[in-house]
Amino acid sequence: MKKKRALAFLLTGAMAFSMAACGSQQETTNTGTSSQAETQTQAEAGTAAEGTTASEGAAAGEDISADITMWTYPIGSFGDEETVNGFIAAFNEIYPNNNVSVEYLDYTSGDDQVTAAIEAGTTPDIIMEGPERLVSNWGANGKMLDLSDLWDEEALADISATSEAVVSACQSTDGVFYEYPLCMTTHCMAINYEMFEAADALQYINDDRTWTTENFEKALQALKDAGVAQENGIVYCGGQGGDQGTRALAMNLYNAEFTNADHTQWTMNSEAGVKGLQQLVDWTQEGLLSYDAGAQASDELQLFANGTVAMTFCWNASNEAQYASVVGFTPYPVAFPSESGIPELCGGIYGFGIFDNGDATKAEAAKRFIEFICDDATQGPLSVASTGFFPVRASFGNVYAGTDDEARMEVFAGFGPYLGDYYNVTAGWAEQRTAWWNMLQQIFGGEDVQTAADAYVETCNAATAAASN
């Protein structure tokens, strides 16, 4: 069941990009779901927030006036004030009385900021991130509004044509949509091409950018023998930032699975999971890899960009664009190594949710903004391209066609067929993230790997059970 869901995700996503690559940028713009005028009509016809009446909020077609706030994690250029202000200015050309103020979060302290806002009753109207936060955390805890009215037949069909998994991930187990998606991606790792070339280690990477665990170890040994880097690579475990990289690394080494098919149990204490974790410990003891109990992905990425380490375990199309101007070498994206040679990569889905702040007028204005950013025929593709990822709407086609990014993005599109199950939506996700890096610190500190993995899974399953009740 799990593999079938993953395969559907892979095939539809890869097909969408490959077919779109044959079109032009003009076709991409013209095949959007609506014009700006049509988007305005759709937004004005929207319903008030659940639990309120139209008279309490904005009547259909009424030119409402509202000041709304948006918090966004650094998803591509949505972490850039100039870019976001440009999007807001375009929105205000249609809705001049809807004012949007923005606060920019990071992955080091962002979750704590949101938690504090929830406890204080000062949450923003809109927040941008993925289903693991919007659906399985804040939505499951009753903090988010139901966005089912945004998921009309047209949107559902368009997004389903790209990936049924995106549709599934954006709704709770009882079918309530807490997220409206904009884009998706596949996370991978990357190497310093010149360092690998100097160490004669490129021979261990296949032409399709995959490699086996055995050949990964050979490459690590070649790098160490050649002495081309201060460190080959760092398993960072100082927090949850970029933890999809360390999870994918440990999981793939011996083709373990992170959860069961129904996302009700965590399973990295399996024989394959423990073997992968033990392998990481062994490699650090042999000097083939390093670990840093105080580092997160942002620290590791900076060391990679500086040319200090030969690889990063936290890479994707957006990161490549972000670091393009500061690296003095060729970052070469590759899949995570796996025993079978067929990796299962972690994915990312990014979009918007609305906190239930009890104000129907603001909720209506927030929906208008989300529809404009995600669905507008002109703005939608621009929004997607600014993230450095791929559209969830099939009708947007290849948003990079005819641009300087077209060839680069084709490389990342090539990882689509390896995209695995979106286990991020498992209940108890937030608790799992903390338990994961704590467990890594324990095993690198000398604790028995099986014992630490069992305790990690016990903690995660307890959180899942509690969140599911």
Side-chain angles (χ1 to χ4, degrees):
M1 178 180 176
K2 181 176 182 180
K3 296 300 183 185
K4 289 181 180 178
R5 285 201 306 270
L7 184 61
F9 196 173
L10 310 175
L11 294 179
T12 54
M15 289 171 61
F17 187 89
S18 61
M19 288 188 294
C22 298
S24 67
Q25 185 65 40
Q26 183 178 1
E27 290 169 337
T28 299
T29 301
N30 291 341
T31 55
T33 57
S34 63
S35 66
Q36 290 186 347
E38 290 170 338
T39 300
Q40 182 174 6
T41 300
Q42 292 169 0
E44 290 172 345
T47 60
E50 184 178 2
T52 63
T53 65
S55 61
E56 293 173 317
E62 181 183 348
D63 184 17
I64 64 173
S65 177
D67 295 330
I68 58 176
T69 56
M70 178 176 74
W71 289 7
T72 176
Y73 285 77
I75 302 161
S77 291
F78 273 87
D80 176 68
E81 184 174 1
E82 182 177 356
T83 299
V84 175
N85 283 344
F87 293 167
I88 293 172
F91 171 71
N92 286 146
E93 290 181 5
I94 302 173
Y95 300 107
N97 296 318
N98 292 175
N99 301 312
V100 185
S101 60
V102 185
E103 182 167 340
Y104 300 91
L105 307 177
D106 59 44
Y107 283 112
T108 301
S109 60
D111 288 352
D112 290 337
Q113 289 178 253
V114 176
T115 298
I118 290 173
E119 293 174 350
T122 57
T123 49
D125 300 295
I126 303 170
I127 191 158
M128 183 182 190
E129 229 293 309
E132 54 268 34
R133 289 178 172 85
L134 274 62
V135 179
S136 61
N137 186 358
W138 305 322
N141 289 316
K143 306 302 180 183
M144 310 298 291
L145 288 179
D146 182 354
L147 301 184
S148 297
D149 53 337
L150 296 183
W151 285 85
D152 57 21
E153 291 184 5
E154 183 275 331
L156 187 61
D158 201 6
I159 297 170
S160 296
T162 297
S163 171
E164 290 285 354
V166 171
V167 178
S168 177
C170 289
Q171 57 187 308
S172 64
T173 54
D174 56 355
V176 178
F177 284 102
Y178 290 120
E179 176 158 353
Y180 196 68
L182 172 67
C183 60
M184 56 187 285
T185 191
T186 305
H187 299 296
C188 60
M189 57 179 290
I191 64 166
N192 182 313
Y193 188 91
E194 286 77 12
M195 284 185 178
F196 268 66
E197 186 176 43
D200 195 25
L202 291 173
Q203 62 178 307
Y204 302 116
I205 303 174
N206 298 324
D207 290 342
D208 63 358
R209 300 177 187 248
T210 63
W211 44 356
T212 62
T213 300
E214 179 182 5
N215 279 340
F216 180 66
E217 183 173 38
K218 291 178 180 178
L220 293 177
Q221 188 64 58
L223 290 167
K224 180 182 178 182
D225 293 343
V228 294
Q230 292 184 28
E231 297 175 276
N232 287 346
I234 299 174
V235 182
Y236 48 89
C237 46
Q240 66 183 28
D243 56 356
Q244 76 278 352
T246 55
R247 293 196 311 269
L249 177 62
M251 181 183 75
N252 272 283
L253 289 175
Y254 295 99
N255 296 103
E257 293 192 352
F258 225 84
T259 70
N260 63 2
D262 296 326
H263 301 145
T264 57
Q265 297 286 318
W266 302 86
T267 58
M268 270 298 284
N269 63 338
S270 65
E271 180 180 356
V274 170
K275 189 176 181 181
L277 290 166
Q278 183 65 61
Q279 184 66 81
L280 292 178
V281 173
D282 292 345
W283 281 335
T284 60
Q285 292 175 345
E286 296 164 9
L288 298 180
L289 285 177
S290 303
Y291 76 92
D292 190 331
Q296 299 189 47
S298 57
D299 305 302
E300 184 245 25
L301 282 165
Q302 191 59 58
L303 291 172
F304 178 66
N306 292 342
T308 302
V309 297
M311 64 188 69
T312 173
F313 301 121
C314 186
W315 203 245
N316 54 42
S318 182
N319 280 350
E320 182 168 277
Q322 178 182 348
Y323 286 94
S325 63
V326 298
V327 297
F329 58 90
T330 307
Y332 188 78
V334 293
F336 286 91
S338 62
E339 184 177 37
S340 67
I342 303 175
E344 184 171 339
L345 304 182
C346 291
I349 300 169
Y350 303 98
F352 299 90
I354 300 176
F355 277 105
D356 187 358
N357 290 328
D359 189 319
T361 300
K362 287 190 174 185
E364 176 65 19
K367 289 178 182 179
R368 288 181 174 185
F369 182 76
I370 291 171
E371 282 189 308
F372 174 76
I373 292 296
C374 295
D375 295 348
D376 183 79
T378 299
Q379 178 62 46
L382 293 175
S383 301
V384 173
S386 76
T387 68
F389 297 141
F390 300 98
V392 297
R393 278 186 170 267
S395 63
F396 284 176
N398 180 3
V399 299
Y400 302 102
T403 72
D404 293 340
D405 285 326
E406 183 173 10
R408 182 179 69 85
M409 293 304 293
E410 285 180 1
V411 171
F412 290 97
F415 292 124
Y418 303 113
L419 190 57
D421 178 55
Y422 203 80
Y423 60 79
N424 312 40
V425 294
T426 306
W429 172 254
E431 293 82 357
Q432 179 279 145
R433 298 189 76 190
T434 298
W436 174 254
W437 60 265
N438 284 336
M439 185 264 292
L440 290 181
Q441 289 185 353
Q442 291 163 7
I443 65 174
F444 288 119
E447 186 169 335
D448 177 72
V449 173
Q450 184 71 65
T451 301
D454 287 343
Y456 156 75
V457 166
E458 182 179 358
T459 297
C460 295
N461 285 339
T464 298
S468 301
N469 291 333

